[in-house]
Structure formats: structure tokens, C-alpha cells
Amino acid sequence: MPYMSLNEKPIGVFDSGFGGLTVLYKLVEVLPKEDFIYFGDTAHLPYGTKSPREIKRFVVKIIDFFKSLKVKLVVVACNSSSAVALQEVRKRVNVPVVGVIEPAVRAALKNTKSRRIGVIGTEVTVKSNAYKIAFSSANHNIKIFQKACPLFVPLVEEGLLDKEFTHSIVRYYLDELKKMSIDQLVLGCTHYPLLKKVIREVIGDEVELVDSSVEISKEVSSALETKNIKNIQKYDGYRKFFVSGSPSRFQQRANKLFDFKIDEVKQVKL
Ligand code: DGL
């Protein structure tokens, strides 16, 4: 194998399914010269209803896979994994690791005026209190209202983004939060930006929806700068896709939901 400098190595991005593609999409826009490896652990989806122990077990295998591909940076594009397994990831690699929670917290704090912030996420994310902890260590003067929305991930994975029952389900989960006078709503699961339209309709225009992908891209970009490992190739980078479940299902669904075309998805058994 020819010698490859760290700059030329790919960035590894993972999620349980295609929620992390909402993050990858932004990363490609901001860092077009970088090569990306995406892994969706579709055989174990959803993560949100699993125990922290199980999630850690899956994540360790994904990280070992990324290590075998010599990635230069890892993006944990999954709130559930960031909430319960970020330390585990950091222990296993000696490259920079970017999670999704801190960037979302930063974005919400920048924008809030009322200091009343809503967070929606999977059951494991909400139970872990990772957001509450991150908010209170950044600013004590913030009131957080959390709500787990376990039906959102299956709706997104099935591509049911704008059905009548999608509206009813979103209303069912967000009704309580609507009464809390929040001015920011953190989309604390990378699948949720795909439901933005319905969430916006239900929660109203006064509440800002915080999608962490912009802040994550900034953080990845600055980590690459700091370590001096930016890819400076002339051409746009590649994106390679791997899943643990069915590749054709992932490919079809993702191509329907996202603008970029995924030509090939490979299955890896971890
Ligand atoms: N997209 C992930 C998250 O951000 C995981 C969703 C799931 O598998 O439950 O939490």
C-alpha cells in the first residue's frame, strides 16, 4: 500500500441508521475536499431504546472497523451514542472525536433569550441526562425541558415524513413542550432534522429549531485545522457507505430522502 499522510486519510462518521446522513450532508458541504466513510448500524437500529451497555458494545465494534480503515477523525453522528458512549470512543482511538451534544448545546445557548430550552431525543438520550448536564456545566441559569419521542426514528426510517399520522404523533409528543414557553428546541437525535417541517408546524414559528449539524461541521473543521490534517487534494473527496443490515434498503431510502446520490453501499458484519 502506498504511503499516505494523515491529511489524505478519511473521516469516519457513524449512526445507527441514516440519521447521521443529516450530519454528513453538512460536513460534505463545508469540507468538500475531505474523504468520508459512513457507517450505519442498521442491523441494530434503533439505538434509542437499547441500554447504554448494548450501545457501547455496538460502538466499540464500529470504532474498530474505523481503525482498520485508518480514519483520521471520528464523528459520532448519533446523539444516543454521544450520550452514553463518547468516553468509550475516546478511550479506543487516538484521533480527534467529535460528538453531537456539545455543538448542539453551544448553538442553543448562543440563540436563547428566554433561557428556556426544550430538548427532544431518544429514550436513552433523555434518560442519560447528557443534555441537562452539558447545559448546566456551560450555564447554570438555563431551564431545560426534555421529552423522549420514541416513535420519531421509525417514522423517519420508514420515510413517513409528511403523513397525517406523522402530524398526530408529533403533536402527541410536543404538546407538553408547547406550554413551556421555550424559545429553542434542540433536535437531539440526528434523525429528527428530517421531520423539521412537521415539527415546525406543530411547535410554531416563535421557537427556533436547533439542528446541530452546522456547529458540528465547524468543530470538525477547527479540529482538522488545529491538528494540521486537512485534506488539500485538488478534487472533491469520496464518500463510502457501509451498513450492518441490508445495503439495498439503505441505499433506496437514503436516495429518496437526500439530495446526494449514493451509488454503492456495502455490508459489513461487525
Ligand atoms: N440518530 C440517532 C440519535 O441521534 C439514533 C436513533 C436511534 O437509533 O434510535 O440518537
Side-chain angles (χ1 to χ4, degrees):
M1 209 209 225
Y3 172 76
M4 231 187 171
S5 73
L6 206 51
N7 305 57
E8 296 167 292
K9 294 193 169 137
I11 294 173
V13 181
F14 78 88
D15 180 38
S16 59
F18 50 60
L21 294 179
T22 59
V23 176
L24 180 69
Y25 197 76
K26 203 48 189 189
L27 284 167
V28 170
E29 202 182 296
V30 175
L31 300 162
K33 304 285 172 223
E34 296 297 335
D35 294 330
F36 290 97
I37 307 278
Y38 186 87
F39 183 81
D41 195 6
T42 51
H44 300 121
L45 178 124
Y47 275 12
T49 50
K50 307 273 188 316
S51 70
R53 214 168 133 184
E54 274 174 298
I55 295 174
K56 277 184 200 156
R57 197 156 47 80
F58 301 146
V59 164
V60 160
K61 296 211 168 126
I62 299 169
I63 294 307
D64 288 346
F65 172 62
F66 279 170
K67 274 164 90 175
S68 74
L69 298 174
K70 310 232 175 319
V71 302
K72 64 178 173 187
L73 185 145
V74 174
V75 180
V76 182
C78 170
N79 287 263
S80 310
S81 309
S82 296
V84 300
L86 200 62
Q87 292 319 319
E88 206 63 39
V89 176
R90 294 211 160 112
K91 261 196 261 159
R92 284 189 92 82
V93 286
N94 53 11
V95 298
V97 175
V98 176
V100 277
I101 292 178
E102 305 287 335
V105 166
R106 258 202 315 276
L109 285 176
K110 227 192 276 169
N111 301 334
T112 187
K113 292 194 176 59
S114 67
R115 301 208 195 94
R116 297 170 71 84
I117 298 175
V119 177
I120 50 174
T122 64
E123 280 174 283
V124 78
T125 299
V126 168
K127 257 195 218 145
S128 75
N129 278 324
Y131 271 99
K132 269 199 168 163
I133 296 165
F135 271 113
S136 75
S137 64
N139 185 333
H140 284 298
N141 215 358
I142 297 280
K143 193 115 184 74
I144 302 299
F145 303 89
Q146 302 193 92
K147 180 78 185 167
C149 308
L151 287 176
F152 284 10
V153 169
L155 284 175
V156 172
E157 284 288 327
E158 290 302 316
L160 304 169
L161 306 183
D162 204 12
K163 300 279 176 210
E164 211 158 304
F165 54 81
T166 312
H167 285 253
S168 311
I169 292 170
V170 172
R171 232 177 287 123
Y172 168 75
Y173 285 120
L174 301 190
D175 244 11
E176 245 173 79
L177 280 178
K178 274 188 79 165
K179 298 175 198 139
M180 299 302 169
S181 312
I182 54 170
D183 71 350
Q184 308 291 309
L185 179 63
V186 176
L187 306 180
C189 169
T190 52
H191 280 72
Y192 297 179
L194 289 158
L195 289 171
K196 236 183 202 169
K197 186 171 160 275
V198 186
I199 294 175
R200 154 77 46 239
E201 273 167 35
V202 170
I203 201 80
D205 288 335
E206 324 72 60
V207 179
E208 210 164 321
L209 302 183
V210 182
D211 161 359
S212 54
S213 57
V214 179
E215 288 292 321
I216 294 164
S217 312
K218 280 192 209 155
E219 188 157 329
V220 171
S221 195
S222 99
L224 296 175
E225 297 272 3
T226 313
K227 298 264 172 196
N228 205 8
I229 52 171
K230 257 193 151 167
N231 200 329
I232 47 166
Q233 63 185 339
K234 282 204 207 94
Y235 309 102
D236 281 354
Y238 65 69
R239 294 158 233 158
K240 292 185 181 165
F241 298 89
F242 297 89
V243 291
S244 50
S246 158
S248 57
R249 188 182 186 279
F250 182 87
Q251 190 175 356
Q252 278 162 17
R253 292 276 156 86
N255 278 334
K256 247 196 218 157
L257 291 175
F258 293 89
D259 288 349
F260 57 68
K261 181 111 184 64
I262 298 180
D263 295 318
E264 194 188 13
V265 182
K266 288 190 181 142
Q267 188 180 37
V268 272
K269 293 272 179 215
L270 298 182

